[in-house]
Amino acid sequence: MTLRLADFVVKEPMVIGHECAGIIEEIGSEVKNLVPGDRVALEPGIGCWRCDRCKEGRYNICPDMKFFATPPVHGSLARQVVHPADLCFKLPDNISLEEGAMCEPLSVAVHACRRANIGPETNVLVMGAGPIGLVTLLAARAFGAPRIVIVDVDDYRLSVANNLGADGVVKVSTNMQDIPEEVERICEVMGAVGVHVTFDCAGFNKTMSTALSATRAGGKVCLVGLGHNEMTVPLTPAAAREVDIIGIFRYKNTWPLCIELLRSGKIDVKPLITHRFGFSQEEVEEAFETSARGGDAIKVMFNL
């Protein structure tokens, strides 16, 4: 069995983890902005700062980026990591380390909202009510989206979306033949103005096909989830309606905004943290088993 994401292939055992926050223990001699004892959230990707993408400010697509838990770079699921000071962001007193770790998934959503130009006149559809879909719901609301509808196959996750403030939820199936009927229901729930932007937070044939079909003429579909490496989707009908397709990969310059959104209370990620475990061998195994079972698990946290 080969584990891969896009062009990244796991070829040997590696440490995973890229959503993290912690307390500074030591600093280098040239570090001026941090001191031991500071509580920080870590942005996990280190760009080369030399290539054209980095120089253009799009370091998230740097071809030589070193990113926690992306082969061959080990991740942050460890008691200690060494990381550049400029990628360690101090946390205000009213933000916990758990919330600081949530800046990583929240950054995905913030970057997607920026790419799609979400604002007070943008009705949003979110495909998938998993962790990324739920933080996308929260981010889109913080960016001013007036109406947000979220779609999933799971009743529990849709109930969480409701509790987080979704304006409507639609339960769907995994069957491709159900798309026309489901698109009709989505449009009914969204209302007469229609869907301006759809975020596909799953990235499967069915979710992307539904997204392209449900988005109004002149709208945008932002592919956030990367479930399938290749997809067969109705591009020609979407092109005939001038529906733009936007891709995102990771994020750039998002941690300061994420921290401010958490500090100010405009976004509350605490309801997404459903389980907590220590860092013993037994608890780590139990945490992964809990996450794999699904059920009511959304975000599973390790506390060292």
Side-chain angles (χ1 to χ4, degrees):
M1 176 180 170
T2 300
L3 296 177
R4 68 182 301 150
L5 174 63
D7 295 329
F8 301 102
V9 182
V10 178
K11 298 179 180 179
E12 58 187 25
M14 63 178 292
V15 178
I16 63 172
H18 60 271
E19 302 176 7
C20 53
I23 301 172
I24 299 291
E25 289 193 353
E26 295 182 25
I27 59 172
S29 60
E30 298 300 313
V31 174
K32 308 300 182 186
N33 62 319
L34 297 169
V35 297
D38 281 343
R39 301 161 57 257
V40 294
L42 276 61
E43 181 174 352
I46 307 170
C48 74
W49 308 117
R50 296 184 299 274
C51 70
D52 289 344
R53 300 292 83 76
C54 284
K55 291 178 180 179
E56 292 166 357
R58 302 185 71 181
Y59 64 89
N60 57 306
I61 50 176
C62 169
D64 294 319
M65 173 171 276
K66 295 178 174 61
F67 194 94
F68 281 157
T70 299
V73 180
H74 286 298
S76 59
L77 191 59
R79 296 191 182 277
Q80 294 177 318
V81 296
V82 179
H83 206 53
D86 64 338
L87 296 175
C88 298
F89 297 86
K90 290 177 67 172
L91 295 173
D93 291 340
N94 68 332
I95 297 180
S96 68
L97 289 176
E98 288 185 338
E99 292 170 278
M102 288 292 291
C103 284
E104 197 284 334
L106 182 57
S107 283
V108 175
V110 165
H111 183 54
C113 286
R114 284 174 170 172
R115 288 272 287 157
N117 294 319
I118 300 302
E121 296 180 344
T122 316
N123 285 344
V124 169
L125 172 66
V126 179
M127 303 297 300
I132 295 298
L134 294 173
V135 291
T136 300
L137 161 65
L138 295 175
R141 183 69 79 208
F143 272 67
R147 186 161 181 80
I148 305 171
V149 172
I150 193 163
V151 170
D152 202 274
V153 299
D154 185 84
D155 285 319
Y156 173 74
R157 300 224 164 172
L158 290 176
S159 71
V160 173
N162 257 329
N163 291 336
L164 291 175
D167 297 292
V169 300
V170 177
K171 186 177 182 181
V172 295
S173 75
T174 58
N175 299 319
M176 294 290 291
Q177 61 265 31
D178 293 336
I179 290 177
E181 177 189 347
E182 290 169 357
V183 167
E184 186 175 337
R185 282 197 284 131
I186 289 168
C187 292
E188 287 175 359
V189 173
M190 181 59 76
V193 176
V195 178
H196 296 100
V197 173
T198 299
F199 293 105
D200 183 356
C201 296
F204 297 121
N205 280 324
K206 183 168 188 284
T207 55
M208 194 61 174
S209 296
T210 303
L212 290 168
S213 300
T215 303
R216 60 180 274 174
K220 300 174 185 176
V221 172
C222 184
L223 180 57
V224 180
L226 302 175
H228 282 160
N229 202 42
E230 296 182 2
M231 289 186 277
T232 301
V233 296
L235 280 181
T236 301
R241 294 183 293 114
E242 292 196 350
V243 174
D244 295 336
I245 300 175
I246 303 167
I248 73 155
F249 191 56
R250 298 170 177 155
Y251 27 67
K252 60 185 181 72
N253 301 317
T254 53
W255 257 253
L257 177 56
C258 288
I259 290 172
E260 174 57 23
L261 290 171
L262 295 175
R263 185 204 64 78
S264 64
K266 290 182 179 178
I267 287 182
D268 181 7
V269 293
K270 293 189 292 294
L272 301 182
I273 303 170
T274 54
H275 295 75
R276 296 170 174 85
F277 294 89
F279 207 56
S280 67
Q281 181 68 31
E282 294 77 14
E283 287 178 290
V284 168
E285 291 178 9
E286 185 182 355
F288 279 104
E289 290 169 359
T290 299
S291 182
R293 283 195 300 268
D296 63 349
I298 298 176
K299 274 298 178 185
V300 178
M301 287 281 178
F302 291 108
N303 293 297
L304 277 66

